[in-house]
Amino acid sequence: MAGLTSSDLRDLLSFTTALARKAGAVILEGSRAIQSASASDIGEKKNSVDLVTEYDVKVEELVKREIKDAYPEFQFIGEESYSAGSRAPLTDAPTFCVDPIDGTTNFVHAFPFACISIGLIDQRRPVLGVIYNPFLDHLYTGVSGQGSFLSRSGGPPERLPLGGPARPLPALSQALVAIEWGSDRKAPAITQKADSFTRLAGDPAGGVAGGRMAHSLRSLGSAALNFAMVAQGGLDMYWEIGCWPWDVCAGIVIAQEAGGFVTGSKDAPHDGNVTEAILTGRKYLVVRGIAGSEGETSLAAQQRIAREFYDTVEDVPLDG
Ligand code: IPD
Ligand code: CA
């Protein structure tokens, strides 16, 4: 089956953008309701830090319904449908990959970094992404081969990365790195993550063995918004083990179209090609566009930083 054309993708972008804004309105309404209701409305999935609310489900139902009406032949993968047992394997067909609320913990705590993330996969590769944070009215979009953009407060789309061509990044020690604790808090995962964070931030001259003393570490609490912030240029890189394709699908396209480099685990081929294995592998590293220099292309600079990164952190096991 032939893939989607550039013109199909342009139409799909208008549809997906309008849908994300509609979903954003429900997320805002949900936030107001949650802040005035009792904590008992908040459910737990895998454990007490893996949260779900009726709004995660409500937003996913809305998005799924509208997609079904507009594109009945497309496949659908969604976080809440997956949790409810809908786990069809990925095929070559166009497939929406949706997280109705990414950053549910932030949503519950009224920390204004939560979003709807709508990705589209075609021929098993992410080809379109829309991420909308309704709290800040930040809309990120990306289409394969057509660039990525940020529209703030309904303003005109600004090409990513903001501020023009990519800047250099000489070493990990000069990076602002996003990391996340994730929801697996059992040893050894939590210990290996904490040890990795210590080496990323720690001072080797001050006794931290293997320390890189990166500029600092950040957690936005949403994988999608971490990807978007790397695309924007506000973060130099983001690493997470344990999140899911719906958390990252849209962000992958937005980051790649901004010149970002996306790869999987330490052992994945680090060629910037996001294969099905990387998309579904639940281990992700994204590095922003880096200016090339004489003797080093932009891709080679990103691969160098990725290697330095993976020499620093541990390959934390997945918890299933
Ligand atoms: C989570 C967020 C969080 C990340 C977790 C995700 P959710 O998604 O993206 O930043 O650390 O791995 O599962 O549960 O808010 O949709
Ligand atoms: Ca979610």
Side-chain angles (χ1 to χ4, degrees), residues 67 71-77 88-91 93-97 120:
I67 288 175
Y71 296 97
E73 72 284 13
F74 283 26
Q75 303 298 305
F76 182 88
I77 298 171
L90 190 60
T91 66
T95 303
F96 277 99
C97 187
L120 179 67

Side-chain angles (χ1 to χ4, degrees), residues 4-129:
L4 297 167
T5 64
S6 312
S7 144
D8 293 334
L9 289 172
R10 267 191 292 276
D11 292 346
L12 278 152
L13 180 63
S14 327
F15 165 79
T16 308
T17 301
L19 184 54
R21 286 197 179 276
K22 203 163 177 178
V26 181
I27 295 174
L28 285 183
E29 181 193 306
S31 174
R32 282 189 289 271
I34 293 245
Q35 296 319 311
S36 58
S38 78
S40 61
D41 292 334
I42 298 158
E44 297 172 8
K45 291 206 240 187
K46 187 177 69 197
N47 59 33
S48 63
V49 299
D50 190 8
L51 305 178
V52 62
T53 71
E54 62 179 287
Y55 291 94
D56 296 71
V57 176
K58 206 180 257 182
V59 173
E60 182 154 323
E61 278 168 1
L62 163 81
V63 169
K64 196 173 178 176
R65 197 170 51 240
E66 300 237 346
I67 288 175
K68 189 106 208 113
D69 287 348
Y71 296 97
E73 72 284 13
F74 283 26
Q75 303 298 305
F76 182 88
I77 298 171
E79 175 170 14
E80 306 314 329
S81 308
Y82 183 91
S83 291
S86 167
R87 300 178 180 196
L90 190 60
T91 66
D92 284 343
T95 303
F96 277 99
C97 187
V98 174
D99 191 341
I101 303 183
D102 189 49
T104 302
T105 305
N106 290 343
F107 173 71
V108 163
H109 286 267
F111 182 72
F113 287 82
C115 62
I116 164 104
S117 173
I118 309 181
L120 179 67
I121 302 165
D122 187 35
Q123 310 287 311
R124 300 169 194 261
R125 303 292 171 103
V127 292
L128 178 150

Side-chain angles (χ1 to χ4, degrees), residues 1 19 23 28 33 38 46 54-55 64 107 113 134-136 143 156 174 178 188 198 200 223 238 248 264 275 298:
M1 192 176 82
L19 184 54
L28 285 183
S38 78
K46 187 177 69 197
E54 62 179 287
Y55 291 94
K64 196 173 178 176
F107 173 71
F113 287 82
F135 298 95
L136 303 181
V143 174
Q174 290 174 40
T198 299
L200 286 169
Y238 162 51
V248 299
T275 58
S298 169

Side-chain angles (χ1 to χ4, degrees), residues 138 140 148-150 152 158-169 174-178 215 218 220 224-238 251 254-261 286-291 302:
H138 284 182
Y140 295 88
S148 54
F149 298 87
L150 165 62
R152 293 183 273 198
E158 299 170 80
R159 187 175 279 275
L160 300 179
L162 297 181
R167 291 162 281 134
L169 182 59
Q174 290 174 40
L176 186 62
V177 182
H215 276 180
R218 297 284 181 268
L220 294 185
L225 290 173
N226 284 321
F227 264 86
M229 193 55 82
V230 172
Q232 181 174 330
L235 287 168
D236 295 305
M237 55 206 301
Y238 162 51
I254 293 166
Q256 287 185 317
E257 286 299 314
F261 169 83
V286 52
V287 180
R288 69 160 166 83
I290 302 177
Q302 290 169 315

Side-chain angles (χ1 to χ4, degrees), residues 11 30 33 91 93 95 109 111 123 133 164 179 183 194 225 243 253 294 297 308:
D11 292 346
T91 66
T95 303
H109 286 267
F111 182 72
Q123 310 287 311
N133 175 350
I179 45 93
S183 57
L225 290 173
C243 52
V253 183
E294 219 177 301
T297 62
E308 190 185 358

